[in-house]
Amino acid sequence: MSVLALQEYEFERQFNEREAIQWMQENWKKSFLYSALYAAFIFGGRHMMKQREKFELRKPLVLWSLSLAVFSIIGAVRTGAYMVYILTTRGLKQSVCDQSFYNGPISKFWAYAFVLSKAPELGDTMFIILRKQKLIFLHWYHHITVLLYSWYSYKDMVAGGGWFMTMNYGVHAVMYSYYALRAAGFRVSRKFAMLITMTQITQMLMGCVVNYLVYEWMQLGQCPSHMHNIVWSSLMYLSYFVCGLSALTYCSWPFK
């Protein structure tokens, strides 16, 4: 692949993706442990908070949401620039099937940062529980399945990863910015919250489309993936889509 006409920062250039991929291949199953601890915290934390007064936590929540918003915005800009470059110079098939997203300039760091971020993002739920807010099923189901699938897929450098990660970075950039504004006390139109959920649902549909393209081109030997990954990814996206429609029905916007 030719060098991108886009400046690389030193930390991106120095990042060793081979060590990152090797570490994930050796440790990806730890995501099951983190998920189990997360589930235990949910049920234990809700039980503990039943007889306690809720915590305010407004300032920590602002800092938390703002940090994730900034991280997601930068990630969306960097991975988005890379994907636009591939699309305009190599075409749609290359953007879906090329594994260079995992080891190419700029994107290699942000691909690894993306999958690692799914572990600390579990902290979102801590604020919901400690503030005694409504915890919907889709919230914790989404957190667990994304963590498991991201770590499982990164180790194999499966096709479609560039699309999945870039879309998620973009949606999270808007979503966490919304959360930060709300936590800081700014009044944000409820229509904007619904717009975020519609964007999330669109992301789920796009994920299914990308999976279909991966499957079709995999049959021709042009997309490095495997059926187990495609099946699990498609089931995950379809379940989000169904739950997302339910979230719209019951006005639980935006879902996470």
Side-chain angles (χ1 to χ4, degrees):
M1 175 184 169
S2 60
V3 178
L4 288 176
L6 189 65
Q7 178 187 0
E8 286 183 81
Y9 295 106
E10 188 62 25
F11 71 92
E12 294 171 334
R13 185 180 297 109
Q14 294 296 326
F15 178 70
N16 189 329
E17 77 281 2
R18 295 179 187 174
E19 291 183 359
I21 293 169
Q22 182 180 352
W23 185 91
M24 191 61 70
Q25 289 172 344
E26 296 171 354
N27 295 278
W28 76 274
K29 291 183 179 178
K30 290 181 179 178
S31 60
F32 287 98
L33 172 62
Y34 301 148
S35 297
L37 293 174
Y38 172 68
F41 169 77
I42 289 174
F43 293 103
R46 295 180 74 181
H47 177 75
M48 180 189 71
M49 290 301 297
K50 277 185 178 180
Q51 306 302 324
R52 296 173 180 266
E53 291 293 324
K54 66 179 182 180
F55 293 88
E56 182 61 30
L57 300 177
R58 179 176 293 276
K59 290 182 179 179
L61 181 57
V62 171
L63 292 175
W64 176 261
S65 299
L66 185 60
S67 298
L68 289 173
V70 172
F71 168 74
S72 300
I73 290 169
I74 297 174
V77 170
R78 301 304 279 169
T79 59
Y82 187 87
M83 291 299 291
V84 168
Y85 174 85
I86 296 296
L87 275 168
T88 55
T89 60
R90 301 295 185 88
L92 176 63
K93 183 181 291 187
Q94 191 78 358
S95 74
V96 172
C97 298
D98 192 3
Q99 290 178 299
S100 67
F101 188 85
Y102 298 94
N103 53 28
I106 300 174
S107 61
K108 61 182 182 180
F109 171 84
W110 294 102
Y112 191 54
F114 175 87
V115 297
L116 288 186
S117 71
K118 298 308 159 188
E121 277 184 10
L122 300 177
D124 288 349
T125 314
M126 175 185 68
F127 288 98
I128 294 177
I129 291 176
L130 294 180
R131 299 175 76 209
K132 300 184 75 169
Q133 295 181 319
K134 182 181 179 181
L135 178 62
I136 63 174
F137 166 77
L138 183 56
H139 174 96
W140 58 267
Y141 167 73
H142 175 75
H143 270 303
I144 289 176
T145 50
V146 169
L147 171 62
L148 294 175
Y149 178 73
S150 297
W151 286 39
Y152 168 68
S153 297
Y154 180 83
K155 69 179 178 63
D156 295 328
M157 299 171 62
V158 295
W163 277 91
F164 298 148
M165 296 185 204
T166 302
M167 288 191 297
N168 196 257
Y169 265 133
V171 171
H172 278 203
V174 178
M175 185 186 70
Y176 280 116
S177 297
Y178 166 80
Y179 287 147
L181 289 172
R182 286 287 303 272
F186 291 96
R187 296 186 63 182
V188 184
S189 172
R190 195 167 181 80
K191 292 181 180 180
F192 185 65
M194 185 176 179
L195 176 63
I196 296 175
T197 298
M198 293 299 297
T199 304
Q200 292 171 316
I201 292 174
T202 302
Q203 176 193 354
M204 308 317 166
L205 291 175
M206 282 295 296
C208 291
V209 171
V210 171
N211 276 328
Y212 172 76
L213 294 176
V214 170
Y215 173 77
E216 287 292 309
W217 290 327
M218 186 178 69
Q219 308 307 306
L220 304 175
Q222 298 173 333
C223 257
S225 189
H226 47 84
M227 279 303 301
H228 285 155
N229 189 283
I230 294 173
V231 169
W232 286 118
S233 177
S234 298
L235 289 174
M236 183 179 69
Y237 274 120
L238 284 172
S239 67
Y240 295 163
F241 176 71
V242 171
C243 291
L245 292 180
S246 299
L248 280 176
T249 302
Y250 295 103
C251 302
S252 300
W253 317 321
F255 65 83
K256 171 68 176 72

